[in-house]
Amino acid sequence: MRESKIKPAGNATLSYGGKGYDFPVYAGSQGPNVVDIRKLYDQADIFTYDPGFTSTASTESGITFIDGDKGVLEYRGYSIADLAEHSSFLETCYLLLYGDLPQKAQMEKFTHSITRHTMVHEQLAQFFRGFRRDAHPMAVMCGVVGALSAFYHDSTDINDPMQREIASHRLIAKMPTLAAMAFKYSMGQPFVYPRNELGYTENFLRMTFSVPAEEYKVNPVLAKALDTIFILHADHEQNASTSTVRLAGSSGANPFACIAAGIACLWGPAHGGANEAALKMLMEIGTVDKVPEYVKKVKDKSSGLRLMGFGHRVYKNYDPRAKAMQVQAHAVLDELGLHNDPLLKVAIELERIALQDEYFIEKKLYPNIDFYSGITLKALGFPTSMFTALFALARTVGWIAQWKEMLEDPHQKIGRPRQIYTGPVARSYVPMSNR
Ligand code: CMC
């Protein structure tokens, strides 16, 4: 069990119905303090109302910190810029799971374990064959990741720390294999088995893009870019999909089922689907001269259009991941000789215009990570339908680290929000003939 690090920081008083109620206030290591309202309903017979959880801390966590106003993102206290520049995705996985950067021997042991768990049960291949060839990779991922619980019974007992550990390693190790299989299946190409002499991201690139008919050489610039994309997407505090994983896990569901729930949530265009939507938008705009007209349409609320890849629930400043993403976008386009890519030109012009426009300035709408990741992934050779699957691959470590943290939290309870009911009240049943 994990010890709570919450510190007392005074009291907050609520006056309601002519009475005063005191609630403890707590401080974490950084970020806003919280009012502990767990006894509110008991004491004052009232609920709080916070749709979208904009002012609600659902948990104590020591994994990821975001300061949206300052544009700060840290994993276990390390800035995302530092990790994107100096770390590898697998080392970042270790950091997120275990709390500290690994010593050499720890890293070797972890790498060995992840590498040795990359193969999936051979019968899973048949499971894939049940899908239509044109199925969206996220539909396939929801299904096959959930199905892992039917194949790995020996790591579904959530009360056994050793089984939790094995399930975590299995999920991190098998996600690239499953994502590559989803891609291969949609292309009508044979599945490619992992190779243990390759690194995590190199292996994924090979399983995705190699064919048995010829040798495949991993391009180190492209591998570094994809590895960085994975680092940037590895965790993001209590976002929608992570909260989904925690909520699913709070009932005691097994880890494979919980991660499948996270994948389902990530699929939506307001979350993981945004890079696909951002790229589609850039293609729809098409040329630089069309940018002002498009921005005008976005500002007209009746159009129902949003600038995809702009804005964030938490960042009200430049998304710190977008900066590292922009560096990798340029590295990939340079390496592939695509710096004159028309989509990149549209993206740069769109960013320039939007950053000067009163509408976006006033609403604090800045480019988010998805603005540049779509262009980069497209240049790497991924179809747009694979973008969210790649996000899911990278976010799996964050989901699993948060799931483990939740299970080790002595205050953990099943998640069960309440509501303000506005529906009909106490009606008598009317037989159909009298309605
Ligand atoms: N384009 C134009 N206007 C926007 C945009 C946008 N991308 N985003 C927000 N607004 C406006 C919105 O119309 C509203 O205006 P008003 O106050 O006049 O009604 C105001 O800004 C606040 O919007 P909101 O929907 O209340 O803000 P939110 O915090 O609920 O939404 C968001 C956050 C990410 C869903 C939203 O900004 C959005 O839809 N962005 C486009 C999709 C996108 O890029 N999503 C990826 C998020 S980053 C990936 C991740 O971390 O998961």
Side-chain angles (χ1 to χ4, degrees):
M1 281 292 150
R2 196 167 48 96
E3 250 181 59
S4 172
K5 294 194 173 146
I6 284 174
K7 290 183 236 90
N11 279 303
T13 306
L14 170 81
S15 338
Y16 170 66
K19 280 195 194 162
Y21 301 91
D22 271 350
F23 299 98
V25 173
Y26 301 129
S29 50
Q30 53 182 339
N33 291 351
V34 300
V35 185
D36 178 353
I37 51 142
R38 278 176 290 185
K39 300 238 161 71
L40 177 67
Y41 179 51
D42 259 4
Q43 291 179 4
D45 200 22
I46 188 175
F47 292 145
T48 54
Y49 179 57
D50 186 15
F53 309 115
T54 50
S55 298
T56 297
S58 61
T59 187
E60 176 188 347
S61 180
I63 302 176
T64 293
F65 176 73
I66 300 175
D67 183 331
D69 291 328
K70 294 196 185 123
V72 169
L73 168 63
E74 293 169 356
Y75 297 161
R76 304 280 191 188
Y78 295 97
S79 84
I80 194 68
D82 239 9
L83 292 168
E85 196 178 339
H86 303 295
S87 187
S88 67
F89 178 64
L90 220 46
E91 186 184 58
T92 301
C93 288
Y94 185 99
L95 174 69
L96 287 166
L97 278 180
Y98 301 109
D100 289 303
L101 287 170
Q103 304 286 341
K104 193 165 177 284
Q106 291 170 319
M107 189 61 204
E108 280 168 8
K109 194 169 162 220
F110 181 64
T111 306
H112 183 272
S113 174
I114 298 297
T115 309
R116 295 306 183 280
H117 278 111
T118 46
M119 282 177 67
V120 293
H121 196 289
E122 197 57 21
Q123 247 175 290
L124 261 170
Q126 289 170 31
F127 197 94
F128 270 88
R129 293 196 173 96
F131 288 99
R132 283 170 55 133
R133 288 274 173 196
D134 61 356
H136 194 287
M138 284 300 274
V140 176
M141 294 299 281
C142 287
V144 294
V145 173
L148 290 178
S149 45
F151 287 91
Y152 300 101
H153 297 258
D154 58 342
S155 53
T156 51
D157 178 358
I158 61 156
N159 298 313
D160 177 348
M162 186 53 96
Q163 292 202 27
R164 291 207 291 268
E165 177 90 353
I166 296 170
S168 322
H169 287 209
R170 279 187 169 143
L171 276 157
I172 295 166
K174 293 183 198 308
M175 281 298 277
T177 314
L178 294 174
M181 286 171 86
F183 176 71
K184 285 298 193 199
Y185 187 73
S186 70
M187 301 292 286
Q189 291 180 1
F191 297 139
V192 176
Y193 288 105
R195 290 206 61 96
N196 287 354
E197 76 273 17
L198 292 176
Y200 187 88
T201 304
E202 287 82 358
N203 211 353
F204 173 63
L205 280 169
R206 188 181 161 278
M207 286 190 288
T208 307
F209 293 121
S210 75
V211 286
E214 54 190 52
E215 278 305 305
Y216 179 80
K217 259 191 100 143
V218 179
N219 178 324
V221 177
L222 307 190
K224 165 74 188 155
L226 189 57
D227 202 68
T228 309
I229 291 178
F230 291 164
I231 293 174
L232 299 175
H233 286 88
D235 195 42
H236 212 225
E237 209 227 57
Q238 308 309 320
N239 57 84
S241 57
T242 301
S243 298
T244 303
V245 169
R246 279 185 177 260
L247 200 55
S250 76
S251 73
N254 78 67
F256 304 106
C258 295
I259 300 304
I263 294 173
C265 177
L266 186 73
W267 195 357
H271 192 4
N275 53 9
E276 189 175 341
L279 191 72
K280 278 189 184 147
M281 176 192 73
L282 294 178
M283 292 198 270
E284 192 188 319
I285 299 172
T287 50
V288 169
D289 56 306
K290 302 267 169 48
V291 171
E293 190 190 321
Y294 195 83
V295 171
K296 202 169 152 207
K297 267 201 263 174
V298 165
K299 292 194 301 186
D300 173 7
K301 284 273 167 63
S302 67
S303 74
L305 280 180
R306 283 193 169 199
L307 212 48
M308 299 313 284
F310 264 72
H312 200 273
R313 168 60 63 81
V314 180
Y315 296 119
K316 300 303 172 198
N317 200 322
Y318 213 97
D319 176 346
R321 302 168 301 172
K323 288 183 190 152
M325 197 58 252
Q326 194 185 27
V327 171
Q328 291 306 326
H330 284 288
V332 166
L333 295 169
D334 283 349
E335 175 70 13
L336 299 174
L338 296 172
H339 32 261
N340 281 326
D341 183 68
L343 288 188
L344 184 69
K345 288 188 173 162
V346 172
I348 290 171
E349 181 63 2
L350 197 57
E351 184 183 17
R352 191 186 69 77
I353 293 193
L355 287 178
Q356 291 172 358
D357 193 297
E358 218 21 70
Y359 175 95
F360 296 92
I361 295 170
E362 190 214 310
K363 295 187 190 308
K364 299 189 177 171
L365 297 169
Y366 294 88
N368 59 48
I369 184 170
D370 294 317
F371 191 65
Y372 280 103
S373 65
I375 304 165
T376 315
L377 293 174
K378 178 175 176 282
L380 287 171
F382 293 100
T384 47
S385 60
M386 273 299 287
F387 290 2
T388 319
L390 294 169
F391 190 163
L393 184 171
R395 183 56 59 85
T396 294
V397 63
W399 288 331
I400 207 82
Q402 302 263 357
W403 170 82
K404 276 179 76 184
E405 185 183 64
M406 178 194 69
L407 292 180
E408 287 158 15
D409 183 344
H411 298 294
Q412 190 264 325
K413 276 176 187 269
I414 185 166
R416 175 59 171 91
R418 303 306 300 265
Q419 62 175 7
I420 172 162
Y421 178 72
T422 54
V425 180
R427 299 201 280 180
S428 299
Y429 182 81
V430 181
M432 196 176 279
S433 53
N434 297 347
R435 283 176 215 161

